[in-house]
Amino acid sequence: MNSRLKELEQKIGYSFRDFSLLKQAMMHSSYTNEKNLPKYRCNERLEFLGDAVLELVSSEFLYQESPQMPEGQLTKTRASMVCEPSLAMCARDIGLGEYLLLGKGEEATGGRLRDSVTSDAMEALIGAVYLDGGFTSAKEFIHQFVLTDLEDKKLFYDSKTILQERVQAEKGGGIRYRLVGEEGPDHQKSFSVEVLIGDTVFGTGTGRTKKAAEQQAAYKAILRLQKRK
């Protein structure tokens, strides 16, 4: 396992002085339960700490980057930047799920791909970097792996709302989402959805939930509409 975690260190460009912190950050509660380890050994305490560090760094980033944005909008924007799906996307970018220590049950039910598990691990990793290298190291990590491609992330996670607003503004007809397929066992289902504007299919998406598939379909529809302009 240590060699796998060394690989993760190389991916994130950070070497831990206290390697046990990295191991703890990757230790899901299902693993500690299965191994009869104390509850505090799992990554939940690091996740708690990482969440607070992430909130401070993302707040400072928005404050500096958007000097005229009012408080309410700052709060809303920060929430969308550090929400579970957004953090899970960041975790996927570095393949974080591959490095998790999971119990057999969590492994069998697709835990490595579950947004709730990988987003929590991302926060735990931030907490581990903070404890190991201090605030500056944590800030650098967050800027490199979380506060990137923000426009694209916002477009993706607000895509259904953005598409609705755009089509209404252009009086382009009604929007509806149509489920066109689902496959896989219950714990690893994949859904396929089309989005139609009027009677025309403008985008298709797949996801582990219908909502995720709809978001992806809406995102592709927005990109198509932008190209038409």
Side-chain angles (χ1 to χ4, degrees):
M1 185 64 201
N2 283 1
S3 62
R4 295 280 291 140
L5 292 181
K6 286 288 181 188
E7 185 183 296
L8 177 58
E9 280 189 324
Q10 289 182 336
K11 272 192 181 180
I12 64 174
Y14 181 82
S15 295
F16 279 82
R17 287 185 288 247
D18 182 355
F19 198 69
S20 67
L21 283 168
L22 177 58
K23 191 168 184 178
Q24 186 179 356
M26 294 300 101
M27 199 175 292
H28 189 256
S29 57
S30 62
Y31 181 87
T32 54
N33 290 341
E34 193 174 277
K35 300 291 183 183
N36 293 316
L37 296 170
K39 173 74 171 171
Y40 64 81
R41 291 281 302 279
C42 78
N43 66 5
E44 290 174 0
R45 283 168 53 83
L46 283 174
E47 176 203 334
F48 161 80
L49 183 60
D51 175 63
V53 176
L54 176 59
E55 185 162 306
L56 176 57
V57 172
S58 57
S59 298
E60 182 195 41
F61 174 82
L62 279 175
Y63 186 87
Q64 302 286 3
E65 290 291 308
S66 309
Q68 296 180 342
M69 187 181 284
E71 183 268 342
Q73 188 62 36
L74 286 168
T75 302
K76 186 180 175 186
T77 304
R78 182 184 63 199
S80 70
M81 281 163 50
V82 300
C83 66
E84 180 182 295
S86 184
L87 286 177
M89 182 188 266
C90 300
R92 277 194 296 277
D93 286 344
I94 58 174
L96 197 60
E98 301 168 31
Y99 304 98
L100 293 174
L101 291 162
L102 301 175
K104 290 188 177 70
E106 189 67 33
E107 179 87 66
T109 55
R112 289 187 191 281
L113 300 173
R114 192 170 295 124
D115 282 5
S116 59
V117 173
T118 57
S119 64
D120 287 351
M122 193 71 182
E123 289 183 328
L125 183 54
I126 291 167
V129 172
Y130 171 75
L131 284 181
D132 190 74
F135 183 73
T136 301
S137 295
K139 183 175 176 178
E140 285 175 3
F141 176 86
I142 291 165
H143 276 262
Q144 186 174 352
F145 295 106
V146 181
L147 302 179
T148 52
D149 299 324
L150 285 180
E151 283 304 310
D152 198 47
K153 282 175 185 165
K154 180 168 172 49
L155 180 62
F156 185 82
Y157 286 109
D158 292 344
S159 55
K160 286 180 74 175
T161 304
I162 292 167
L163 181 62
Q164 185 77 39
E165 290 170 352
R166 187 163 295 184
V167 171
Q168 281 176 347
E170 295 173 6
K171 299 182 172 58
I175 299 173
R176 61 193 173 95
Y177 295 88
R178 181 167 67 194
L179 182 67
V180 292
E182 55 183 277
E183 56 185 44
D186 284 347
H187 65 272
Q188 281 185 305
K189 272 238 187 296
S190 176
F191 298 92
S192 298
V193 168
E194 292 176 338
V195 59
L196 296 90
I197 301 174
D199 295 321
T200 306
V201 175
F202 268 74
T204 59
T206 57
R208 289 171 61 79
T209 64
K210 290 175 189 172
K211 184 179 177 184
E214 288 173 358
Q215 290 281 35
Q216 190 177 90
Y219 177 67
K220 289 183 178 175
I222 293 167
L223 296 182
R224 184 173 168 186
L225 288 172
Q226 285 176 338
K227 279 183 183 174
R228 289 202 327 189
K229 290 187 173 181

